Amino acid sequence: MIRYTALRLLIFVGCFLVAGVAVHYGVIPAGLGGSNTVWVILLGLVLSAPLSYVLLRKQRDEMSEQIVSTVDRTKARLDANRTREDAVQ
């Protein structure tokens, strides 16, 4: 999970830098008044979201499998404990 988060953060930082350079050189219009930083952050978020979705699909699927297996083991333990309690009564 930490690796996924770190990769996602790196993708955002890369997109933020690309958006900042594009705004600086006039490829993308700058924000109104003093909102240029907020504009670049929003552009970075908008660019990084689909990239993260596509590029990190494998890591997201692996993390999902780990979570599902953990939930299944927990359910099995709870069922075993419930069965044991029923047997005692």
Side-chain angles (χ1 to χ4, degrees):
M1 180 141 167
I2 293 172
R3 190 175 114 191
Y4 176 78
T5 305
L7 289 173
R8 190 157 184 187
L9 183 63
L10 284 173
I11 290 172
F12 167 71
V13 169
C15 289
F16 174 75
L17 292 175
V18 167
V21 170
V23 167
H24 179 73
Y25 286 109
V27 176
I28 299 173
L32 298 174
S35 68
N36 200 35
T37 305
V38 174
W39 173 245
V40 173
I41 290 172
L42 288 174
L43 285 173
L45 286 171
V46 167
L47 292 173
S48 69
L51 286 174
S52 294
Y53 183 75
V54 172
L55 296 175
L56 300 178
R57 177 174 288 160
K58 180 181 174 185
Q59 287 82 2
R60 189 174 51 253
D61 290 342
E62 290 173 359
M63 192 169 55
S64 175
E65 289 174 10
Q66 289 175 355
I67 291 171
V68 167
S69 66
T70 302
V71 168
D72 289 342
R73 282 194 311 265
T74 303
K75 283 182 180 179
R77 264 188 280 144
L78 287 172
D79 287 340
N81 287 341
R82 189 176 309 125
T83 305
R84 192 173 8 165
E85 288 175 2
D86 290 342
V88 171
Q89 293 176 356

